Amino acid sequence: MRVSLKWLKELVDVDLPVEQLCDRLDMTGTKVEQVIKTGAALEGVIVGQVLTKEQHPNADKLSYCQVDVGAGEPLKIVCGATNFAPGDKVPVATVGATLPGGVTIKRAKLRGLESEGMMCSASELGAGADASGLLVLPPDAPVGLSYAEYAGLSDTILELEVTPNRPDCLSMVGVAREVGAVLGREFRAPKWALETSGAPVERDVAVTIEDPDLCPRYTARLIRGVRIGPSPEWLVERIVAAGARPINNVVDVTNYVLFELGQPLHAFDLATLARREGVVEVVVRRAREGETLTTLDGQERRLSPDMLVIADASGPVALAGVMGGEATEVSETTVDVLLESACFDRACISKTSRALGLISESSLRFERGVDPELAALASERAAQLIAELGGGEVAPGIVDMYPRPATPRVLTVRVGRMNAFLGTSLASDETAAILRRLGIAVEGTGDALTCTVPTFRPDLEREVDLYEEVVRIWGMERVPSTLPGGRERVGGLDAVQRIHRRIGAVMRACGLNEHIGLVFEDPRRVELCGFELGPDETLVELINPMSSEQSHLRVSTLTGLLDAVSHNQRHGVTDVHLYEMGRVFRTSAGRKLPKERLVLGAALAGSWDRQQWYERPRPLDFFDAKGVVQSLFDDLGIEPWRLDAAEHAWLQPGRAADVVVRGEVVGWIGEVAPRLLEAFDVAGAVAAFELDVKSIVRAAGGVRRYDEIPRFPAVKLDVAFVVSRDVPAERVLAAIRAHGKPLLADVRLFDVYVDPDDAVERRLPEGTKSLAFSLEYRAADRTLADDEVRAVHERVLAKVCSEVGATLRG
């Protein structure tokens, strides 16, 4: 909402500096987004007088003029207009001035003669649509005066952000009432007197409302004998300040009343409306299937039955509350004007305007709610102005169909309860005075005040809503700060929250940075990755997505992490180590709410360290990701756990595994498939994992176990097994641990050997590999003897060879 400070001061006394007024409005919930100085756009445009006008020697359609601008020598200006003569006074844009259209005036040669400025038309100054010639000013215009100051264009425009619950502030009267309440001043509502004459409006016009739910009120008024022409300067100034462009006196009046009172209006050329038995019957109805309407913008619109139209005997003539029809618009030939002032259903207008891509000042107001009680008043105001500016006669009476009259809401404010609720100590009289300044009728004294809420405030539904009105006008910053009452409760984290904190701490200790991504997802990317869903599971689709790329909820954190890796790489960061603890979603038929899981995802790209002069950095791979998982499980005391080889569409074959804790698959780990890296524009390998946080929390040890520092030496023995290539090392490790108890203290894989494919001399049988382990034996109460260790060791070797089909490598 654009508010002209000059116009506002006619409705309420405002003597504060603009900055202070903006602060006061901000504090009461009406945010000032921008302050615009309108005269500043015409800086350098001066009132000048044409001294001489001669034919340009090198151009038939140009003239060469000398113009006095009240400072020094007259300016020499080349001009193409013809509607002026020596002695006329015109606006002159001097060198350096920038016009509203963005044109900067420069000293230039035109057909060989130097021009030191430009004489301007109304269009070039943003003062109207006329571009046919210069804007010739009255003879008494003072030469040398700024044109903005002369034309009264110096104004301050406040651009307000009006919240959807305050439709009353979408008008100058509404804003004036609000400012008056904030500053403690009475606002002055505009006054007028309407004179009528001639035959009553009912002789020529009838109105039928077929759907009162969509149109609770419709009024029609008739103005005969109107002369269409340009609007006076004061009207042009005001509607331009409000953000509209001038068209003609009738249309400009409807826009003026829209901005002044907040009631959208529409003017029809009565002669273009079809009559039935000599009467124009206006019908407010739903559009019929297949109907079309060419709107004022020249576009033919295909209508649907959920749209509301204004129709005559021939069909639709306007889209109710959105835009009029081209065939019935007011034009230069219009003589009689039918004036519409109505109230339409908010949801219907919103759906129509968005379905057709037509967002107008009218539709914006109807979407938020227009006061039905305002329709007749606004119609009277517009008719008075049209008659005054267009010389017409207003027909007596008004056709007013009001099947669903609005009734004001009555609420009781208990002042004592309000003070207890807000922490204030306001008196009953002060509370009543504040409410009255907001247009709310208040009766009664003492603690209980009976308040009649005006129909222009549909947001005030409960007693507490009136509490809010009182405190925002009185000043929320004046409410004393107090601590909320407590009952000796000590806050803290529960066990699950503490584990969540520990998970994040371990990730950061491992060198990963936290990433917070969007939960929205493109279903095409889910299909590209090949994420696995259950037999009956599907993606969760949003009802009203922001875009097709964010139309579903994610099923994995991997896509967001890959986006982040790609973004960092494009900005020169090659070593990217990220983790995210967030929710993923899926659903199935019959579920009201989607299934949610909290997961821990991570992505590692690049290397751990920057490149050194003595060595190249090692690219991160599967084993780096495994190391992070191992650090996490060690910190949380999760055991036993293992990695089982697996195949997942989004991971590289042979470098993918399931993470298994106590026999339950809790996640996956691996290197991302090259096709996905290419699709996400990621350079180099990326190792990633994703774990179910609930499963991790359930498996986490409650008490951390500590081992005593060994007092006796260990016996270390190395052994190498030759096994089939498809036997994982984890299986051999599990067998060694199972049969080495109780003396086996530790076992570690330290070498894997496979014959090269092009080896001339093979060291191992075909299809096998060598796994070398270091075994450490120790007893807690004694030093082990060699024969004691050998016996256990031989038993381990025999059992392992038997269980996994291994042989010892010599």
Side-chain angles (χ1 to χ4, degrees):
M1 174 68 187
R2 289 167 57 97
V3 175
S4 162
L5 202 56
K6 186 188 297 184
W7 191 354
L8 182 66
K9 288 180 179 180
E10 293 184 9
L11 302 173
V12 65
D13 293 329
V14 180
D15 52 11
L16 289 179
V18 174
E19 295 75 12
Q20 292 184 26
L21 177 62
C22 293
D23 290 342
R24 296 292 296 275
L25 290 174
D26 284 342
M27 291 300 294
T28 56
T30 306
K31 182 181 177 183
V32 180
E33 290 191 317
Q34 189 178 9
V35 177
I36 304 169
K37 303 285 188 181
T38 55
L42 296 175
E43 186 175 355
V45 180
I46 310 297
V47 175
Q49 183 173 25
V50 180
L51 301 179
T52 63
K53 177 184 178 183
E54 300 175 358
Q55 179 66 43
H56 193 296
N58 302 321
D60 294 338
K61 295 184 179 181
L62 296 178
S63 56
Y64 190 57
C65 309
Q66 293 193 50
V67 183
D68 179 17
V69 293
E73 294 293 323
L75 301 181
K76 299 177 178 61
I77 297 176
V78 176
C79 182
T82 60
N83 66 325
F84 69 99
D88 284 345
K89 294 180 179 178
V90 296
V92 179
T94 58
V95 173
T98 300
L99 299 181
V103 177
T104 300
I105 306 303
K106 299 178 181 178
R107 192 185 302 269
K109 282 192 174 184
L110 298 176
R111 295 292 184 94
L113 294 182
E114 189 172 39
S115 183
E116 300 174 322
M118 183 177 82
M119 293 184 284
C120 303
S121 67
S123 171
E124 290 162 334
L125 298 175
D130 186 7
S132 60
L134 298 184
L135 177 60
V136 179
L137 304 176
D140 60 352
V143 174
L145 185 67
S146 163
Y147 172 74
E149 184 178 349
Y150 167 74
L153 299 179
S154 297
D155 195 4
T156 300
I157 307 296
L158 306 182
E159 198 164 295
L160 306 183
E161 178 186 338
V162 179
T163 54
N165 66 319
R166 292 298 306 275
D168 58 302
C169 285
L170 289 173
S171 68
M172 290 300 303
V173 166
V175 173
R177 183 187 298 110
E178 181 77 6
V179 170
V182 171
L183 302 182
R185 317 268 170 78
E186 292 293 331
F187 90 97
R188 299 177 290 274
K191 297 180 180 180
W192 61 86
L194 179 65
E195 296 180 1
T196 61
S197 61
V201 63
E202 290 85 355
R203 189 194 72 176
D204 294 307
V205 179
V207 174
T208 302
I209 300 176
E210 291 189 358
D211 195 335
D213 290 333
L214 300 185
C215 179
R217 189 176 192 183
Y218 190 97
T219 71
R221 206 181 279 273
L222 186 58
I223 305 98
R224 300 186 180 99
V226 176
R227 294 188 301 275
I228 306 300
S231 298
E233 289 186 10
W234 69 267
L235 182 57
V236 171
E237 177 187 341
R238 290 199 170 173
I239 63 173
V240 167
R245 63 182 181 86
I247 298 175
N248 59 51
N249 50 0
V250 172
V251 175
D252 292 349
V253 164
T254 62
N255 285 331
Y256 175 81
V257 176
L258 167 75
F259 296 125
E260 181 184 52
L261 301 180
Q263 171 67 53
L265 304 165
H266 185 67
F268 296 96
D269 183 341
L270 185 68
T272 63
L273 297 173
R275 291 176 180 261
R276 180 175 295 162
E277 297 180 357
V279 176
V280 172
E281 185 176 353
V282 176
V283 181
V284 186
R285 61 170 173 83
R286 290 178 181 269
R288 300 191 177 106
E289 197 67 51
E291 284 187 323
T292 61
L293 174 68
T294 302
T295 48
L296 289 171
D297 57 1
Q299 299 294 316
E300 185 179 48
R301 312 282 180 176
R302 182 169 294 278
L303 309 180
S304 61
D306 58 350
M307 299 176 182
L308 193 67
V309 298
I310 311 301
D312 63 4
S314 65
V317 295
L319 269 172
V322 179
M323 187 174 284
E326 186 178 57
T328 58
E329 71 174 319
V330 172
S331 65
E332 294 177 354
T333 61
T334 298
V335 176
D336 299 333
V337 172
L338 177 66
L339 185 63
E340 167 196 287
S341 180
C343 180
F344 302 113
D345 178 68
R346 298 167 58 180
C348 177
I349 301 305
S350 177
K351 289 178 182 178
T352 300
S353 65
R354 279 156 178 75
L356 298 177
L358 277 175
I359 309 297
S360 64
E361 291 285 353
S362 295
S363 68
L364 286 174
R365 283 163 174 78
F366 280 122
E367 286 175 21
R368 298 189 180 196
V370 171
D371 179 13
E373 290 293 301
L374 188 60
L377 184 71
S379 175
E380 180 181 299
R381 172 62 161 159
Q384 175 261 324
L385 286 171
I386 291 174
E388 178 183 320
L389 303 179
E393 294 182 346
V394 180
I398 179 173
V399 179
D400 188 355
M401 302 303 294
Y402 199 1
R404 302 279 174 85
T407 55
R409 189 177 290 111
V410 178
L411 301 172
T412 299
V413 171
R414 292 163 286 179
V415 179
R417 183 175 183 271
M418 180 191 72
N419 284 324
F421 191 88
L422 298 174
T424 55
S425 55
L426 286 164
S428 178
D429 292 345
E430 188 176 4
T431 301
I434 291 173
L435 292 172
R436 288 191 182 104
R437 293 205 302 268
L438 290 167
I440 300 169
V442 181
E443 295 180 359
T445 57
D447 186 67
L449 302 176
T450 302
C451 302
T452 303
V453 179
T455 52
F456 60 75
R457 288 300 303 271
D459 57 312
L460 303 181
E461 300 176 343
R462 304 170 299 163
E463 182 181 357
V464 291
D465 295 331
L466 296 180
Y467 295 175
E468 181 184 359
E469 291 300 293
V470 171
V471 74
R472 73 180 184 84
I473 298 300
W474 181 72
M476 285 186 283
E477 71 281 2
R478 298 167 63 185
V479 177
S481 300
T482 56
L483 290 174
R487 298 184 179 178
E488 300 180 357
R489 294 177 180 175
V490 178
L493 302 177
D494 59 28
V496 173
Q497 291 171 328
R498 286 195 294 271
I499 294 177
H500 287 178
R501 297 283 181 93
R502 283 172 61 186
I503 291 172
V506 172
M507 292 295 103
R508 293 187 292 274
C510 289
L512 279 69
N513 298 304
E514 185 172 12
H515 170 261
I516 300 176
L518 295 175
V519 298
F520 306 125
E521 182 61 279
D522 186 341
R524 293 169 297 186
R525 302 207 307 178
V526 176
E527 184 179 356
L528 173 68
C529 293
F531 292 127
E532 298 155 356
L533 299 173
D536 300 323
E537 291 182 334
T538 59
L539 301 181
V540 179
E541 185 175 3
L542 301 179
I543 295 176
N544 187 22
M546 291 183 287
S547 67
S548 60
E549 291 79 17
Q550 297 181 350
S551 60
H552 291 68
L553 296 181
R554 67 184 179 185
V555 295
S556 173
T557 59
L558 179 62
T559 53
L561 291 168
L562 290 177
D563 282 336
V565 171
S566 175
H567 176 82
N568 278 273
Q569 289 181 344
R570 291 196 305 272
H571 289 78
V573 181
T574 56
D575 300 332
V576 186
H577 321 125
L578 301 173
Y579 80 93
E580 177 176 357
M581 191 153 58
R583 298 193 178 276
V584 296
F585 307 83
R586 54 192 68 195
T587 190
S588 56
R591 287 186 63 93
K592 292 184 178 180
L593 296 175
K595 304 174 186 177
E596 294 185 36
R597 285 194 309 126
L598 184 64
V599 299
L600 172 68
L604 307 175
S607 62
W608 288 122
D609 301 314
R610 295 180 179 177
Q611 183 170 348
Q612 304 293 337
W613 63 270
Y614 51 84
E615 65 177 355
R616 291 184 176 180
R618 180 183 61 79
L620 299 175
D621 56 19
F622 174 95
F623 298 100
D624 293 286
K626 178 187 175 185
V628 174
V629 173
Q630 183 166 354
S631 297
L632 175 64
F633 287 178
D634 287 348
D635 184 85
L636 298 178
I638 295 177
E639 57 181 9
W641 69 279
R642 69 177 188 273
L643 300 181
D644 288 349
E647 291 186 5
H648 295 296
W650 60 93
L651 298 177
Q652 193 168 345
R655 300 183 183 181
D658 286 333
V659 181
V660 182
V661 175
R662 299 176 185 173
E664 176 191 3
V665 176
V666 301
W668 53 262
I669 185 172
E671 294 184 18
V672 179
R675 64 180 182 85
L676 291 188
L677 299 179
E678 182 179 357
F680 282 84
D681 193 22
V682 174
V686 174
F689 64 81
E690 189 171 271
L691 307 174
D692 181 67
V693 173
K694 185 176 181 180
S695 300
I696 294 175
V697 171
R698 189 167 54 244
V703 179
R704 194 170 296 192
R705 183 173 60 85
Y706 294 91
D707 291 328
E708 185 181 357
I709 296 176
R711 292 183 296 154
F712 298 95
V715 177
K716 295 182 180 180
L717 298 175
D718 295 341
V719 62
F721 295 102
V722 178
V723 297
S724 175
R725 290 190 184 182
D726 59 2
V727 175
E730 181 64 35
R731 184 179 170 192
V732 182
L733 279 169
I736 294 173
R737 292 192 182 103
H739 299 292
K741 298 176 181 178
L743 297 182
L744 183 65
D746 189 26
V747 57
R748 180 176 61 85
L749 174 69
F750 68 86
D751 183 61
V752 178
Y753 175 77
V754 179
D755 279 332
D757 294 337
D758 57 351
V760 177
E761 181 181 352
R762 295 191 172 273
R763 301 182 181 181
L764 300 175
E766 186 75 24
T768 63
K769 62 183 176 183
S770 171
L771 303 176
F773 298 90
S774 175
L775 285 68
E776 185 178 298
Y777 297 94
R778 178 185 282 112
D781 57 350
R782 67 189 186 280
T783 300
L784 294 175
D786 184 67
D787 56 349
E788 187 179 9
V789 174
R790 287 293 174 187
V792 175
H793 189 64
E794 293 296 335
R795 185 183 73 224
V796 169
L797 300 185
K799 292 290 186 180
V800 171
C801 289
S802 172
E803 287 187 10
V804 303
T807 59
L808 296 177
R809 184 180 177 189

